[in-house]
Every structure is written in structure tokens, then in C-alpha cells.
Amino acid sequence: MIIFYTIDKVKTLITSKKQQGKSIGFVPTMGALHNGHISLLNEAKQQTDYTVCSIFVNPTQFNNASDLTLYPKTPEKDIKLLEEAGCDMLYLPDVKDVYPEKDTRIFTFGLLDTLLEAAHRPGHFNGVAQVVSILLNGIQPSKAFFGSKDYQQVMVVKSLVEQLKLPVQIIECPIIREKDGLAMSSRNVRLSTEEREVASIIPKLMLLAREIAINKGVREAKAYIIKEVSKQPSMKLEYYEICDAVTLEPFEVISSHKRSIALIALFVGNVRLIDNLAIVETN
Ligand code: AMP
């Protein structure tokens, strides 16, 4: 695996790969890599000829200064994991290489700007849009791979690509989970042993709430989540919503004709975690 620290070097090599007729698969990450990230790389390797991964903790998408400072950084381990997984190129820039000048662009995403993550993390998706547009413009991949763990983020990225008419296909990949069902996340390493144990109830609650939503209703499912989370002193719920899987409009009643998804965000101690689970999968 070749490692570049500047976009100019990345561009030169990618241009020559494209001249050889190779398709480019891109996996953007913030590092502290786990099997969720590697699953995106594996998918990129399946679908494209030459894979590029980036590791960059993007400051403009953090609305909370301590979350940025405490974001885990494990570069040596990440490089080893990527090498073992067969990644072709790693782009490992510093802030100056990504933002030679301050990015003042403002993006809008309609309903996606007001709901769920957007409501709880003001400015977050604007920062995501800034960095993703810079990376996609610089790397110019044929396909870019994103995890559906960050469900709303995938929708924002798809909208961004459409708005900017970028010639890239966005590929959404499934959530990879730990043995006990907890969605893999770089933030999981910040959980204490006790918090990690408490966090393992999140996927179980999501599954039970899905049954309640289907059999009794959305209000009952929400009430169940609120009640169960409040039993855990270290947990604090930000939201649990059941939404239209296409628009993210919150549902009060599930329809068997419309795809729906439950999305949750909560704190376990000081660590903010998100997860989601399909409720009705077919149209
Ligand atoms: P991050 O490093 O957290 O910004 O994530 C980089 C990419 O990996 C994003 O597209 C995430 O959605 C994806 N990702 C993170 N965790 C998982 C997971 N558990 N399963 C699948 N994809 C994931």
C-alpha cells in the first residue's frame, strides 16, 4: 500500500491508474479503523480495480470540541489493518492539505437539515458535505463507499453528489456489528468496561422496539425505548424515531407499503452512539 500525505501526489497516481483503464474505489474514514471500515474496503475491492482509503478527522464536522479532541487516533494500527486488507493507497492528509483555505461554503439538504442528527449536531452535515466534496473532487473515484450505520449521512452524501453533479456512484454498505450486536464504531473504544456492557442492550432494545412498533404502534415503541433507556443511569437518549426510509420523515403510523427505519442516538457515559434498524423493508 502506498501512503500519500498530499492530494497532489494522490491525483498524479490516480490519473495514471485511470489512463490504464482502472476504476477507482474510495473509502473515506476518520481512522481508528475496525471491521466496519474494512467491510467497505472489501466491497470496494469487489467492485473496483484500485482502492483508495482516506483517514482524516475532519474538524469542520464536529459541533463539540471535546468530541474532536477525544476522537481516537491509532494510525499505526490503521495502516497495518489496511495493508492486511489489501488497500492500494492511503491518503493521510493534515488539515492544511484538505483545507488550504477556510471552507465557508454552506450546503442545504432540505428535511435532512432539520431532523435527527441535524437537530442534535448543528453544522455537522455542513462539515461532512465540505470534506466529502473536497475528497471526491480531489480523488475523482468511480465509486465511493459509505456505511448505512450513518444512515442520514449516506442520504446527505447522495444529495450532495446530485447537487454538485459529481460523476461518482455512492455505494451504501450494511452495518457491521460486534458479536453481541452492538454496531461497530470508532467511539466504542472510549467506553469503560461497564459502559460497554450497558451499550450491548442497544441492539436488543432496537429489535424489541421493532416488534412493538409492528404489533402495537410507533408511540408504544417509542415509549418502550424511553422507559428502558431511563432505567440505565449511564444512558441518556437523544432521539428514537421511526421514519420513512426514503425521506426520513418521521412516521406516527407504520405502513406496510412504505419502507421504514428506526434510528436512535444516545449517550452512554460521555460517548455518543448511533444505530438504526429497518422496520418495514419492502415497498
Ligand atoms: P467514520 O470513520 O466513523 O467516519 O466512518 C467511515 C465510514 O465507515 C462511514 O461511511 C461509516 O458509515 C462507515 N462505518 C462506520 N462504522 C460502520 C459499521 N459498524 N458498519 C459499516 N460501516 C461503518
Side-chain angles (χ1 to χ4, degrees), residues 93-109:
D94 63 9
V95 175
K96 269 242 138 8
D97 199 59
V98 176
Y99 298 108
E101 284 149 35
K102 192 171 169 3
D103 194 340
T104 53
R105 290 174 300 163
I106 303 289
F107 296 90
T108 51
F109 300 105

Side-chain angles (χ1 to χ4, degrees), residues 1-281:
M1 179 176 74
I2 189 151
I3 304 178
F4 288 133
Y5 300 90
T6 61
I7 196 67
D8 291 344
K9 294 226 164 100
V10 170
K11 280 181 177 169
T12 308
L13 187 53
I14 285 186
T15 305
S16 89
K17 294 292 168 194
K18 283 189 170 173
Q19 279 163 356
Q20 293 163 22
K22 292 196 193 304
S23 59
I24 311 294
F26 176 47
V27 179
T29 82
M30 297 205 297
L33 300 183
H34 49 67
N35 279 336
H37 298 111
I38 299 304
S39 75
L40 304 186
L41 178 65
N42 288 338
E43 194 55 38
K45 283 175 68 71
Q46 290 278 324
Q47 295 197 26
T48 58
D49 304 319
Y50 190 83
T51 51
V52 181
C53 185
S54 65
I55 296 180
F56 178 62
V57 183
N58 173 38
T60 73
Q61 73 186 66
F62 284 81
N63 57 312
N64 176 321
S66 80
D67 193 25
L68 173 60
T69 323
L70 294 173
Y71 200 84
K73 292 175 193 73
T74 56
E76 288 88 12
K77 189 174 153 236
D78 293 351
I79 290 169
K80 195 163 166 275
L81 272 178
L82 289 174
E83 260 167 356
E84 282 166 7
C87 179
D88 295 307
M89 183 199 290
L90 169 61
Y91 173 43
L92 190 56
D94 63 9
V95 175
K96 269 242 138 8
D97 199 59
V98 176
Y99 298 108
E101 284 149 35
K102 192 171 169 3
D103 194 340
T104 53
R105 290 174 300 163
I106 303 289
F107 296 90
T108 51
F109 300 105
L111 193 60
L112 296 176
D113 275 333
T114 60
L115 293 167
L116 308 170
E117 288 299 283
H120 290 272
R121 301 186 69 187
H124 169 62
F125 285 129
N126 202 61
V128 168
Q130 288 175 344
V131 76
V132 170
S133 65
I134 290 169
L135 292 171
L136 291 179
N137 272 318
I139 291 165
Q140 307 235 336
S142 333
K143 297 184 179 183
F145 298 79
F146 290 83
S148 65
K149 173 173 165 272
D150 299 274
Y151 192 82
Q152 193 173 359
Q153 171 172 279
V154 180
M155 295 178 69
V156 164
V157 169
K158 284 183 178 164
S159 168
L160 175 76
V161 163
E162 226 175 271
Q163 288 181 39
L164 300 181
K165 299 190 171 44
L166 300 175
V168 58
Q169 202 181 333
I170 301 302
I171 309 290
E172 190 174 337
C173 303
I175 303 177
I176 305 299
R177 297 179 177 279
E178 302 286 355
K179 274 204 190 78
D180 63 3
L182 181 66
M184 288 190 180
S185 164
S186 304
R187 289 187 169 88
N188 290 352
V189 298
R190 289 181 46 208
L191 297 167
S192 68
T193 314
E194 297 76 33
E195 288 165 351
R196 174 64 186 80
E197 208 169 308
V198 172
S200 71
I201 71 168
I202 299 168
K204 296 173 183 77
L205 293 183
M206 293 289 277
L207 284 166
L208 286 166
R210 172 166 70 181
E211 292 311 304
I212 296 172
I214 291 168
N215 296 317
K216 295 189 178 159
V218 170
R219 200 156 14 118
E220 287 75 5
K222 278 190 187 181
Y224 171 75
I225 291 281
I226 291 167
K227 185 181 84 199
E228 292 301 317
V229 169
S230 71
K231 285 182 191 166
Q232 301 295 335
S234 60
M235 274 187 171
K236 190 168 163 283
L237 184 66
E238 277 205 337
Y239 62 77
Y240 172 83
E241 294 287 350
I242 295 179
C243 299
D244 185 314
V246 179
T247 64
L248 277 198
E249 185 196 339
F251 278 158
E252 279 174 28
V253 180
I254 301 170
S255 153
S256 58
H257 307 296
K258 274 192 173 168
R259 277 176 55 215
S260 51
I261 182 164
L263 302 107
I264 193 167
L266 75 177
F267 279 91
V268 182
N270 291 321
V271 184
R272 187 176 185 277
L273 300 176
I274 58 171
D275 199 352
N276 63 73
L277 183 69
I279 304 285
V280 174
E281 296 198 62

